[in-house]
Amino acid sequence: MRPSTNYIGVIGIIERMSPMRNDCCNQILTLRTMNGVVNFILSPGTYVVDNTPLRTGMRITAFYDSSQPVPLIYPPQYQAAFIGRTEPSENIMIAYFDRNLLSEENQLKLNIGPDTRVTTANGQRFTCNAGENLLIVYYGATTRSIPAQTTPDRIIVFC
């Protein structure tokens, strides 16, 4: 059974992090985005790339599962599924890729290069075909073709 691939990414700068009331294991992370403020609940189940300690002022992309219910409040509040630190010239995508490394929505085709770092979610080197898995892909420029193509800098495989 394939995992959910309904992940939506929100890019922003961490404005504030605070513990939730009476719950020391969850935090509310406030992101300042181009479209305003968005809150994310950061729980022990949230996958943070490289276990990076998050801090105020850091640029991140937070992903939430769009198939999950959300409260109708302002600012919007989502349960963070994945969080990755990103640089301004860097893109990050989470999607299921087929055996030819084409994303499920036919948006992106990956061309693995000699410098592409491919690891498992726990940081171990991955030497098999990364296709037919849920992948976190870090990449820069893409072609203007349909689908866009890129040689990613890094791939994290969720087996």
Side-chain angles (χ1 to χ4, degrees):
M1 180 176 193
R2 252 185 24 230
S4 170
T5 57
N6 300 315
Y7 297 109
I8 306 292
V10 178
I11 301 168
I13 304 294
I14 299 175
E15 190 172 88
R16 180 176 52 251
M17 292 180 67
S18 56
M20 292 185 70
R21 283 187 212 122
N22 303 321
D23 186 352
C24 294
C25 289
N26 293 296
Q27 295 181 330
I28 294 184
L29 185 141
T30 302
L31 271 188
R32 171 76 52 197
T33 72
M34 290 179 60
N35 299 319
V37 172
V38 178
N39 288 328
F40 283 92
I41 297 171
L42 181 63
S43 71
T46 302
Y47 178 82
V48 179
V49 174
D50 296 331
N51 292 315
T52 301
L54 303 174
R55 65 184 190 294
T56 303
M58 184 180 281
R59 183 180 190 271
I60 64 166
T61 302
F63 291 87
Y64 65 92
D65 185 343
S66 65
S67 68
Q68 298 297 311
V70 294
L72 295 174
I73 58 174
Y74 183 82
Q77 180 174 293
Y78 305 104
Q79 175 68 47
F82 300 92
I83 294 178
R85 182 177 183 179
T86 51
E87 298 299 326
S89 62
E90 192 172 45
N91 300 298
I92 184 172
M93 177 182 194
I94 297 176
Y96 178 83
F97 285 79
D98 69 15
R99 62 185 164 92
N100 298 314
L101 298 175
L102 179 63
S103 69
E104 185 173 50
E105 305 81 22
N106 296 322
Q107 291 178 327
L108 189 63
K109 167 81 169 83
L110 305 179
N111 300 311
I112 306 291
D115 294 329
T116 302
R117 186 168 56 139
V118 184
T119 62
T120 60
N122 65 11
Q124 304 308 304
R125 195 165 152 244
F126 189 81
T127 57
C128 298
N129 180 353
E132 297 186 343
N133 287 297
L134 183 69
L135 306 178
I136 295 179
V137 180
Y138 280 87
Y139 62 98
T142 63
T143 64
R144 292 181 181 225
S145 61
I146 298 177
Q149 295 188 37
T150 190
T151 301
D153 299 316
R154 181 175 184 193
I155 298 173
I156 302 170
V157 181
F158 287 83
C159 299

